């Protein structure tokens, strides 16, 4: 075993004192615990580039003072007879919920950010779960991925053990650029793409990169908790802008300069409405007038069932003010943690630098497999397959809702993976219906339970239930 010791050449202490002090501190701060083995004297001497005698002298002192014990023919260990209090960290770590107040750690803990729920905590108790955005795991293209992954492992060579381009694997950026051009009308060069760990990671990079430059963070009401909570936690002033049947009400946007506006134009989260072309153009004019930026989250833009999809905002943008966020979380699954940002060249380069500082880029093996999957045509085939599957499920759900609740108002049916159902007055409050359904093993969700933030005065969307249908077989949707 190795321990993280280092010999400092300018240190006034002797070499044996340095070894003694560092091992003792590791024991006292809990990094080495009672019963843990320590390296043999020969191995440690080699590791530190010092003589074995020096280590033996330091170990003898640690043995003499009771920090270490020797077991004949086995090795040297942290003493098992050290009382608990001695092995506690020297730095006071506040016990949970107490003593923390006023200390740095206590203040940090008290201000821990709100987080959105990405997994349904009640899933195990449900037999039919309409959780929003849930992907059908059975539809994952396992055979193709296994083959491509294995090839990468076998022939990856040096790439398996070195850092790659923090902006993202060039082959993957090229494949993404080829994909979103025709499919979403977003014409970008591979240089204008940054590969990220899902849209959330992209939002985090943007929040960091623009902190101190951008003013208010504006978002839709109702809107996506994951974006609002993040920018709030990053210290931005946040404000909500209402959404109606045509999406964000652009006329209600403040004329505040240098704002950042987060929008979901293709399938508004959570209502599912599509932002009209007229409003898209108004938005671009607003951004130019106020010198603001827009974050276009196209989280489920791969799924459009009726009519041609509207060109993404980024595809209409002539001034580089739209930053497009794409994700593979909905088409393949969030476990890959793979998504991308498409922005102007200058913005992409800034974000690539932040990506390097944040994580030095996404894992090579996943990026390389995804690039091959896209380049071999596998991704397009997969999308075609699951689009047809999800469309059947959408149709089944709409038919069932309309049959049992004839006065239903349903939005978001033209694309995506969930519907927003305005609960008829006669059925009582949506929250009550959610409770009743859960008691019968069925998960349906009010906006706030389904990952949406809703301002307190927003009564228009309060009596709504969100229903994700992509992962549920038609027969179950029909008869849960
Ligand atoms: C509005 C919205 N944006 C983005 C995402 C995807 O996030 P990620 O790509 O980080 O998995 C989700 C996931 O549910 C979402 O609802």
């Amino acid at each position: 075993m190795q321990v993280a010791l280092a010999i400092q050449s300018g240190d006034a202490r002797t070499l044996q004192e340095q070894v003694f002090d560092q091992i003792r501190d590791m024991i006292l701060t809990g990094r080495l615990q009672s019963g843990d083995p320590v390296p043999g004297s020969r191995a440690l001497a080699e590791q530190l580039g010092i003589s074995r005698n020096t280590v033996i002298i330091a170990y003898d002192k640690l043995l003499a003072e009771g920090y270490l014990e020797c077991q004949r023919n086995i090795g040297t260990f942290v003493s098992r007879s050290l009382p608990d209090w001695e092995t506690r960290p020297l730095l006071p770590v506040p016990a949970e919920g107490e003593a923390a107040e006023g200390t740095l750690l206590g203040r940090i803990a008290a201000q821990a950010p709100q987080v959105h729920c990405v997994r349904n905590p009640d899933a195990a108790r449900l037999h039919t779960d309409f959780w929003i955005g849930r992907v059908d795991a059975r539809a994952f293209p396992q055979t193709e991925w296994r083959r491509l992954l294995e090839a990468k492992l076998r022939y990856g060579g040096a790439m398996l053990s070195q850092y790659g381009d923090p902006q993202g694997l060039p082959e993957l950026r090229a494949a993404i650029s080829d994909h979103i051009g025709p499919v979403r009308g977003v014409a970008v060069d591979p240089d204008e793409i940054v590969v990220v760990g899902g849209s959330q990671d992209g939002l985090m990079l943007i929040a960091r990169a623009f902190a101190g430059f951008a003013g208010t963070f504006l978002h839709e009401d109702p809107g996506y908790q994951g974006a609002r909570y993040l920018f709030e936690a990053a210290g931005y002033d946040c404000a909500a802008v209402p959404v109606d049947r045509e999406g964000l009400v652009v006329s209600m946007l403040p004329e505040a300069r240098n704002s950042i506006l987060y929008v979901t134009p293709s399938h508004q989260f959570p209502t599912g409405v599509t932002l009209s072309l007229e409003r898209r153009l108004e938005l671009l004019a607003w951004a130019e007038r106020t010198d603001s930026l827009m974050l276009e989250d196209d989280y489920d833009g791969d799924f459009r069932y009726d009519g041609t999809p509207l060109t993404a905002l980024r595809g209409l943008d002539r001034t580089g003010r739209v930053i497009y966020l794409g994700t593979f979380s909905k088409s393949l699954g969030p476990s890959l943690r793979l998504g991308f940002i498409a922005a102007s060249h200058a913005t992409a380069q800034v974000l690539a630098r932040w990506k390097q500082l944040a994580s030095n880029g996404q894992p090579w093996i996943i990026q390389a497999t995804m690039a091959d999957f896209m380049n071999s045509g596998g991704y397009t085939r997969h999308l075609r397959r699951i689009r047809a599957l999800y469309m059947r499920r959408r149709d089944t759900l709409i038919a069932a809702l309309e049959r049992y609740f004839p006065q239903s108002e349903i939005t978001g049916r033209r694309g995506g993976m969930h519907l927003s159902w305005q609960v008829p007055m006669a059925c009582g409050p949506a929250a009550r219906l959610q409770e009743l359904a859960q008691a019968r093993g069925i998960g349906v969700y009010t906006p706030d339970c389904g990952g949406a933030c809703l301002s307190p005065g927003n009564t228009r969307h309060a009596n709504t239930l969100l229903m994700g249908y992509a992962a549920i077989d038609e027969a179950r949707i029909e008869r849960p």
Side-chain angles (χ1 to χ4, degrees):
M1 72 156 316
Q2 282 211 329
V3 289
L5 300 189
I7 295 296
Q8 307 292 342
S9 53
D11 198 310
R13 291 170 300 173
T14 63
L15 295 178
Q16 57 259 43
E17 280 168 350
Q18 289 193 46
V19 174
F20 173 88
D21 286 351
Q22 290 186 48
I23 292 189
R24 185 201 52 191
D25 289 350
M26 289 177 93
I27 295 170
L28 291 176
T29 54
R31 281 174 288 160
L32 276 175
Q33 302 212 338
S34 189
D36 282 351
V38 293
S41 54
R42 194 188 308 274
L44 186 58
E46 268 173 28
Q47 179 193 329
L48 298 176
I50 57 179
S51 87
R52 188 173 170 209
N53 252 351
T54 305
V55 178
I56 290 174
I57 296 169
Y59 273 17
D60 280 348
K61 196 161 173 232
L62 287 160
L63 285 162
E65 293 195 14
Y67 291 104
L68 298 182
E69 63 188 25
C70 241
Q71 286 185 30
R72 194 188 289 266
N73 299 331
I74 301 181
T76 308
F77 298 84
V78 176
S79 175
R80 278 170 237 263
S81 56
L82 281 179
D84 256 5
W85 63 267
E86 268 188 18
T87 54
R88 288 272 153 76
L90 286 179
L91 293 171
V93 170
E96 228 171 16
E98 53 161 82
E101 238 170 87
T103 64
L104 174 61
L105 282 177
R107 278 181 284 132
I108 292 170
Q111 308 241 339
Q114 280 199 87
V115 289
H116 54 298
C117 203
V118 286
R119 285 161 58 161
N120 184 359
D122 296 318
R125 287 192 272 127
L126 304 172
H127 54 74
T128 309
D129 188 6
F130 291 95
W131 182 254
I132 297 87
R134 201 154 61 94
V135 181
D136 192 338
R138 296 164 299 179
F140 189 89
Q142 276 207 23
T143 314
E144 263 177 290
W145 265 69
R146 190 175 309 121
R147 185 174 54 76
L148 296 171
L149 255 176
E150 259 173 33
K152 288 293 154 204
L153 276 173
R154 194 174 303 224
Y155 306 113
M159 290 311 298
L160 286 166
S161 57
Q162 65 193 29
Y163 291 109
D165 182 345
Q167 185 171 352
L169 187 71
E171 298 92 288
L172 178 58
R173 288 190 277 118
I176 291 170
S177 148
D178 289 346
H179 175 70
I180 58 172
V183 175
R184 304 298 297 115
V186 177
V188 280
D189 282 345
D191 274 0
E192 296 169 326
I193 288 175
V194 184
V195 177
V196 290
S199 345
Q200 197 66 26
D201 184 37
L203 289 171
M204 182 66 148
L205 290 184
I206 294 165
R208 282 178 178 160
F210 297 161
F213 297 100
T216 310
F217 175 75
L218 302 167
H219 62 86
E220 298 154 321
D221 178 17
Y224 181 46
Q225 287 175 352
R228 159 78 194 223
Y229 293 167
L230 168 60
F231 279 81
E232 202 167 43
Y236 286 76
D237 285 332
C238 298
V241 184
V243 166
D244 67 13
R245 285 165 202 275
E246 282 183 64
L248 186 90
V249 184
V250 181
S251 58
M252 303 277 279
L253 277 170
E255 289 294 309
R257 287 188 70 72
N258 302 158
S259 305
I260 298 188
L261 169 66
Y262 168 87
V263 268
T264 48
S266 96
H267 191 242
Q268 201 272 330
F269 188 88
T271 63
V273 298
T274 303
L275 190 70
S276 64
L277 178 61
E278 194 184 340
R279 290 211 184 156
R280 285 172 198 240
L281 298 174
E282 282 169 17
L283 257 189
L284 292 164
W286 167 84
E288 202 169 344
R289 207 163 56 241
T290 57
D291 193 12
S292 294
L293 297 170
M294 286 180 286
L295 313 184
E296 175 179 27
D297 184 355
D298 203 17
Y299 65 106
D300 59 6
D302 282 314
F303 304 106
R304 181 80 182 182
Y305 311 116
D306 307 315
T308 18
L310 284 180
T311 302
L313 258 187
R314 173 79 195 123
L316 304 170
D317 172 28
R318 299 286 164 265
T319 64
R321 287 192 164 80
V322 179
I323 301 174
Y324 177 95
L325 292 139
T327 182
F328 295 108
S329 287
K330 304 299 175 196
S331 52
L332 285 164
S335 63
L336 292 178
R337 303 313 301 132
L338 198 61
F340 58 93
I341 292 172
S344 70
H345 188 267
T347 306
Q349 298 312 307
V350 169
L351 294 175
R353 287 173 176 233
W354 280 95
K355 183 65 187 163
Q356 177 162 6
L357 286 176
S359 63
N360 286 318
Q362 289 305 114
W364 173 81
I365 192 133
I366 298 289
Q367 294 190 72
T369 305
M370 187 69 202
D372 281 1
F373 187 51
M374 295 180 91
N375 287 330
S376 65
Y379 188 56
T380 308
R381 281 195 299 278
H382 169 70
L383 280 180
R384 208 178 299 130
R385 204 166 42 235
I386 56 171
R387 255 185 224 131
L389 180 71
Y390 294 176
M391 188 164 125
R392 286 200 299 276
R393 293 174 177 176
R394 174 206 68 159
D395 291 345
T396 310
L397 178 58
I398 293 175
L401 284 174
E402 287 179 343
R403 183 163 355 113
Y404 296 113
F405 305 95
Q407 327 79 336
S408 285
E409 187 188 330
I410 299 167
T411 53
R413 52 174 91 202
R414 299 177 78 180
M417 302 159 76
H418 76 269
L419 298 172
S420 171
W421 174 41
Q422 188 77 30
V423 176
M425 293 294 273
C427 296
R432 176 81 187 121
L433 217 55
Q434 169 179 299
E435 253 176 57
L436 288 173
Q438 293 222 349
R440 286 165 178 72
I442 302 166
V444 290
Y445 301 92
T446 56
D448 56 334
C449 293
C453 42
L454 201 67
S455 68
N458 191 337
T459 47
R460 183 188 163 84
H461 295 102
N463 213 40
T464 295
L465 285 177
L466 304 177
M467 299 177 78
Y469 48 78
I472 313 179
D473 291 335
E474 289 98 296
R476 264 234 175 272
I477 294 176
E478 185 67 41
R479 207 166 276 283

